[in-house]
C-alpha cells in the first residue's frame, strides 16, 4: 500500500521515473517526526536505513523571492510524505553519453530541500555524528540526489547523512545594483551560499529528531562544493554551524585557487545579463522563466566578495586568523588540475605552453618538470602542483597554526577499471587517469552508480575494499576528528614535514607531491590568467583530466 501511495504522490508532482525507484516494495513507513514546519514520515529499507527525502529547509525561491536570501519554509498540516527525491535547481541537463550520467532528474526553482539518511532505530547512548554533503558542478550544476553521493552507505556505518540543494548559476549567484539597493545592506549575489547556510541552520534545529548531534556536524563537498566549504569557513554567517570539514578538490583561499570576484565586477555581470535578456529591471527579470536565464551563455555570474556573506577576500580572513576554526580533511586526485599546462599533445607542445604561460620562469618550471620522455606525467604533475596541489597545501597550512584544530590531507590515485570498449562523449578512459571527481563514489560507497544504466566499470575486490576504507575514513573523521582507520593512517599536516595519505593502489602516508617545488611554484606569475575549466578538455590527451563540470 505504501509503495502505491508513493507512486501516486510522485506522479501527481510530475517527477520522473528514476525517482520512483527509491521507494521499493517492502519498504515501510517511519513514525512521523516533528521538524521545522510540521510532521514528516519517510521510509525504512530492508536494511533498516531510514530515508527522509525532499524535506524543505527554506521557502521556494520563486517569483518575488528569486534573488533574495532564503526564508523559512511555510508550515504544512498533516504528515508530509518525505519519500521522493526533490527536483534539482535549474541548470543544463546531462545526457546518457556523458561519464557522470546518473539518470534524468526533474528540475525546478522550487528546489531548496534536504535528504536525510539515518541508521536503523536503536537505543543510543549518545547522539550520532552528522555528515552534510555539498555537491560540486562549477556552481552551475549538480544536485543533492545524484546516485554517486547518496548517503545510505554512510548511514550504515553509523552517521546521520544529509545532502542539501542550493541555487546555481545566475539564479544562485547573480549580483546587481538594484538587488544591492533593495537588500538594505548594499550587497547582492551569493544566494547559493546563503542557501547552504540556511540548510546548515536547519540541521542545527532539526537533526536531533533523527538521532543526530547538532554539536558534531561535518560538512563534505567536492570541487565547487569544496570551494563552498572553504567559503563557509571564512564567512561569519556560518560560524558555529559545522565543526569539521572534508574538502575534496577545491578551495577559494590557497595560491592557485579559484578567486572570488569583486562586488563591482559581479554587479557589472548582472547588469550585462539583464541587457542580454532584453529587459529593463530586476522586477522584469523576476517575471522571466528560469530556463531563459540559465540558458544565457558567455556571462559569468559566480561567487563574489559581496560584503555580507563574504566580508572581504577569503584569504585575508584566513590570514587574519578570523576563519571559523574547524578540523580539516582535504585533498585532491592525482591527475586533476586547474591549469593549462597538461593540455598539449606532445613534449614540444607542453614546453611551448610552459613558456607561453610563465615566460620569465619557464626554465625553472621545466627544470622541475622536464619536457623529456616522461613529459606527459611531468605535465600532469606540474599542472596539479601549481593549482590544486599548492592551494590545498595552503589551506592546510592556514588551518595548521598554534591553537587551532588540526588539518589532514589525502591524494586519491586509483584509476577506474573501465569496461572494455566503453566510450563517453566527454571523457577518454584511456588517458583520463585518476580524474577530478573520480573519487566521489569511493568516499560514499556508491561504486555501482556508474553501472546503473549501462556497465561502464568492472569494479574489483580492490576497488570495493578501497571504497570501504575511504567511507570509513569519513565516519572516523566525523566521529573523532581524525580520519585514520586501520590500514590507512592519515598524518596530521605539519609544515615542517609535509605528508598526506595516498588512497589508491597504494594506501599509506607519502611525502606531499610537489613539496620540493612549492617554493618555486609560489613565486610563479602567469603572463595571462590561467583559465579555470568548467567543462572537460577534448578527450584524447593528458588534458582530459578534469571530468565533466565536477
Amino acid at each position: 500500500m505504501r509503495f502505491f501511495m508513493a507512486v501516486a504522490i510522485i506522479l501527481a508532482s510530475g517527477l520522473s521515473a528514476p525517482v520512483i525507484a527509491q521507494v521499493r516494495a517492502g519498504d515501510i513507513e517511519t513514525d512521523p517526526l516533528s521538524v521545522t514546519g510540521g510532521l514528516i514520515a519517510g521510509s525504512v529499507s530492508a536494511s533498516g536505513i531510514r530515508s527522509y527525502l525532499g524535506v524543505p529547509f527554506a521557502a521556494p525561491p520563486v517569483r518575488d523571492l528569486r534573488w533574495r536570501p532564503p526564508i523559512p519554509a511555510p508550515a504544512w498540516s498533516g504528515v508530509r510524505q518525505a519519500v521522493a527525491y526533490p527536483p534539482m535547481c535549474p541548470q543544463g541537463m546531462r545526457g546518457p553519453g556523458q561519464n557522470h550520467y546518473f539518470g534524468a532528474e526533474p528540475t525546478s526553482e522550487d528546489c531548496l530541500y534536504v535528504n536525510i539518511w539515518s541508521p536503523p532505530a536503536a537505543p543510543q547512548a549518545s547522539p550520532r555524528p552528522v555528515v552534510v554533503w555539498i555537491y560540486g558542478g562549477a556552481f552551475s550544476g549538480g544536485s543533492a540526489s545524484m546516485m554517486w553521493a547518496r548517503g545510505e552507505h554512510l548511514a550504515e556505518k553509523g552517521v546521520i547523512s544529509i545532502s542539501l540543494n542550493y541555487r546555481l548559476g545566475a539564479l544562485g549567484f547573480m549580483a546587481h545594483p538594484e538587488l544591492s539597493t533593495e537588500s538594505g545592506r548594499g550587497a547582492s549575489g551569493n544566494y547559493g551560499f546563503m542557501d547552504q547556510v540556511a540548510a546548515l541552520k536547519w540541521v542545527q534545529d532539526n537533526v536531533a529528531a533523527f538521532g543526530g548531534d547538532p554539536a558534531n556536524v561535518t560538512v563534505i563537498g567536492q570541487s565547487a562544493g569544496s570551494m563552498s566549504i572553504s567559503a563557509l569557513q571564512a564567512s561569519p554567517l556560518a560560524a558555529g554551524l559545522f565543526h569539521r570539514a572534508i574538502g575534496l578538490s577545491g578551495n577559494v583561499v590557497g595560491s592557485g585557487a579559484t578567486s572570488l570576484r569583486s562586488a563591482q565586477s559581479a554587479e557589472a555581470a548582472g547588469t550585462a545579463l539583464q541587457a542580454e535578456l532584453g529587459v529593463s529591471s530586476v522586477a522584469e527579470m523576476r517575471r522571466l522563466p528560469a530556463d531563459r536565464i540559465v540558458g544565457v551563455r558567455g556571462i559569468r555570474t559566480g561567487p563574489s566578495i559581496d560584503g555580507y556573506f563574504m566580508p572581504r577576500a577569503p584569504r585575508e580572513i584566513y590570514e587574519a586568523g578570523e576563519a571559523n576554526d574547524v578540523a580539516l580533511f582535504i585533498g585532491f586526485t592525482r591527475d586533476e588540475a586547474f591549469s593549462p599546462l597538461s593540455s598539449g599533445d606532445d613534449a614540444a607542445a607542453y614546453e611551448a605552453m610552459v613558456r607561453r604561460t610563465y615566460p620569465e620562469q619557464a626554465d625553472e618550471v621545466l627544470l622541475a618538470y622536464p619536457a623529456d620522455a616522461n613529459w606527459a606525467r611531468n605535465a600532469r604533475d606540474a599542472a596539479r602542483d601549481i593549482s590544486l596541489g599548492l592551494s590545498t597545501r595552503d589551506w592546510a597550512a592556514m588551518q595548521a597554526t598554534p591553537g587551532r584544530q588540526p588539518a589532514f590531507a589525502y591524494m586519491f590515485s586509483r584509476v577506474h577499471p573501465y569496461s572494455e570498449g566503453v566510450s563517453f562523449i566527454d571523457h577518454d578512459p584511456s588517458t583520463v587517469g585518476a580524474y577530478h571527481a573520480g573519487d566521489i563514489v569511493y568516499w560514499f560507497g556508491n561504486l555501482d552508480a556508474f553501472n546503473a544504466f549501462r556497465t561502464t566499470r568492472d569494479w574489483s575486490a580492490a576497488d570495493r575494499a578501497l571504497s570501504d576504507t575511504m567511507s570509513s575514513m569519513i565516519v572516523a573523521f566525523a566521529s573523532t576528528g581524525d580520519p585514520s582507520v586501520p590500514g590507512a593512517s592519515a598524518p596530521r599536516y605539519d609544515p615542517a614535514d609535509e605528508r598526506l595519505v595516498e588512497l589508491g593502489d597504494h594506501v599509506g602516508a607519502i611525502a606531499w607531491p610537489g613539496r620540493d617545488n612549492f617554493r618555486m611554484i609560489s613565486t610563479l606569475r602567469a603572463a595571462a590568467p590561467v583559465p579555470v575549466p568548467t567543462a572537460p578538455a577534448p578527450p584524447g590527451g593528458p588534458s582530459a583530466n578534469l571530468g565533466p563540470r565536477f
Side-chain angles (χ1 to χ4, degrees), residues 29-354:
E29 183 175 343
T30 65
D31 292 332
L33 293 179
S34 179
V35 298
T36 301
L39 296 174
I40 61 169
S43 61
V44 184
S45 69
S47 66
I49 298 301
R50 294 171 291 164
S51 302
Y52 303 85
L53 308 177
V55 180
F57 68 82
V62 299
R63 297 178 291 275
D64 286 344
L65 294 183
R66 183 187 281 176
W67 295 307
R68 295 187 194 276
I71 61 174
W76 58 89
S77 59
V79 178
R80 186 185 186 102
Q81 301 298 313
V83 298
Y85 285 110
M88 62 184 184
C89 298
Q91 59 192 270
M93 303 300 290
R94 307 190 63 75
Q98 291 175 282
N99 178 38
H100 294 158
Y101 175 75
F102 304 110
E105 291 189 49
T107 304
S108 173
E109 279 191 271
D110 179 2
C111 61
L112 298 186
Y113 298 86
V114 292
N115 303 316
I116 306 104
W117 295 269
S118 62
Q124 279 287 109
S126 58
R128 297 181 184 273
V130 181
V131 175
V132 180
W133 167 248
I134 302 176
Y135 53 78
F139 296 107
S140 61
S143 88
S145 306
M146 295 179 80
M147 293 175 65
W148 62 352
R150 292 178 183 174
E152 296 99 325
H153 294 297
L154 292 183
E156 288 172 355
K157 294 191 173 187
V159 301
I160 308 298
S161 184
I162 300 174
S163 60
L164 62 88
N165 271 345
Y166 62 95
R167 283 173 281 180
L168 298 162
L171 294 171
F173 291 93
M174 187 191 79
H176 192 284
E178 286 186 43
L179 293 174
S180 296
T181 298
E182 77 172 26
S183 74
R185 297 183 294 268
S188 62
N190 289 343
Y191 304 107
F193 285 153
M194 287 184 249
D195 294 341
Q196 296 169 12
V197 169
L200 290 171
K201 288 181 176 178
W202 186 94
V203 169
Q204 286 294 307
D205 292 340
N206 294 281
V207 78
F210 302 90
D213 184 356
N216 186 9
V217 175
T218 297
V219 289
I220 174 172
Q222 189 272 340
S223 195
S226 186
M227 295 175 192
S228 296
I229 287 170
S230 66
L232 289 166
Q233 193 182 358
S235 176
L237 300 189
L241 298 182
F242 60 98
H243 313 92
R244 300 180 177 119
I246 303 174
L248 316 177
S249 302
N251 65 79
V252 297
V253 297
S255 302
T258 300
S259 60
L260 304 189
R261 68 195 310 171
S262 69
Q264 294 78 13
S265 173
E267 288 188 357
T271 301
L273 178 63
Q274 174 192 321
E276 180 69 19
L277 292 168
V279 295
S280 61
S281 66
V282 166
E284 289 187 51
M285 293 175 76
R286 285 185 169 129
R287 298 181 64 184
L288 295 175
D291 63 333
R292 284 270 315 273
I293 296 166
V294 300
V296 172
R297 295 292 178 264
I299 300 174
R300 185 173 70 90
T301 52
S304 61
I305 304 169
D306 63 342
Y308 175 60
F309 171 83
M310 191 61 65
R312 58 190 194 279
R315 189 176 181 105
E316 294 179 13
I317 295 172
Y318 277 79
E319 289 179 336
E322 297 171 7
N324 299 314
D325 184 18
V326 298
L328 297 180
F329 182 36
I330 57 181
F332 49 88
T333 71
R334 186 191 63 194
D335 299 316
E336 66 183 346
F338 293 161
S339 165
L341 294 191
S342 60
S343 60
D345 294 325
D346 54 34
Y350 162 57
E351 180 173 350
M353 179 61 75
V354 172

